[in-house]
Amino acid sequence: MGELLGMEGQLRLVGLALVAMGAVHLVLPRLIGWPTDLAGTSLLTRQVAGAHLFFVGLTCVLLGLLPMFLAPELLAGGRLGTALLAGQTLFWGIRWVFEFAVFSPKLWRGDRLRTTAHVGLSVLWTWVTVVFATALVSVLAG
């Protein structure tokens, strides 16, 4: 259990969570009603939305595989590992900001399922960002 609480274990868990998040993108359109919402749009808009959804999911998987399988290398203090930790911290930190600054509370207030999703995602993005930031600070501190 102690291994999971250490930095390497936390990086691996974050990686697993990101891979799972990427996999959720396979069913996300149905969960949030995109087929109905997009039905009245042009074919181009539907295809661009589908392509973007695919690449967001793929990005989550790929960014999750790095810490899942290469946590020791990320923590070793090399230039590449440090750059990857910095990039992940920035990427997920910006995603955290979007949860509060971009997505309107009108989307989830008053809806128990969407409020639960908002709170859960807020916790997820906070944890992911804190783990990457803590790993980065640890590496930079030597």
Side-chain angles (χ1 to χ4, degrees), residues 19-124:
V19 169
M21 177 59 70
V24 166
H25 281 74
L26 295 171
V27 296
L28 187 62
R30 297 235 184 272
L31 288 176
I32 61 175
W34 272 14
T36 303
D37 289 347
L38 292 173
T41 65
S42 70
L43 176 61
L44 177 62
T45 299
R46 289 191 305 274
Q47 289 183 339
V48 167
H52 278 82
L53 180 75
F54 171 80
F55 283 103
V56 168
L58 178 63
T59 299
C60 287
V61 169
L62 294 175
L63 290 178
L65 290 174
L66 287 169
M68 200 167 145
F69 292 110
L70 300 172
E73 289 83 353
L74 291 172
L75 295 169
R79 289 177 62 195
L80 181 58
T82 303
L84 289 170
L85 286 173
Q88 292 264 38
T89 301
L90 180 64
F91 184 90
W92 296 111
I94 291 171
R95 176 57 184 89
W96 181 87
V97 169
F98 269 54
E99 191 65 30
F100 303 101
V102 174
F103 296 111
S104 172
K106 293 177 186 176
L107 296 171
W108 52 268
R109 275 201 185 127
D111 182 316
R112 181 172 285 166
L113 178 62
R114 288 184 178 205
T115 298
T116 301
H118 169 69
V119 170
L121 289 170
S122 299
V123 170
L124 175 67

Side-chain angles (χ1 to χ4, degrees), residues 7 11 14-15 18 63-64 67 74 84-86 88-90 92 127-137:
M7 187 52 55
L11 281 171
V14 161
L18 293 175
L63 290 178
L74 291 172
L84 289 170
L85 286 173
Q88 292 264 38
T89 301
L90 180 64
W92 296 111
W127 173 57
V128 168
T129 303
V130 167
V131 167
F132 282 121
T134 303
L136 177 61
V137 168

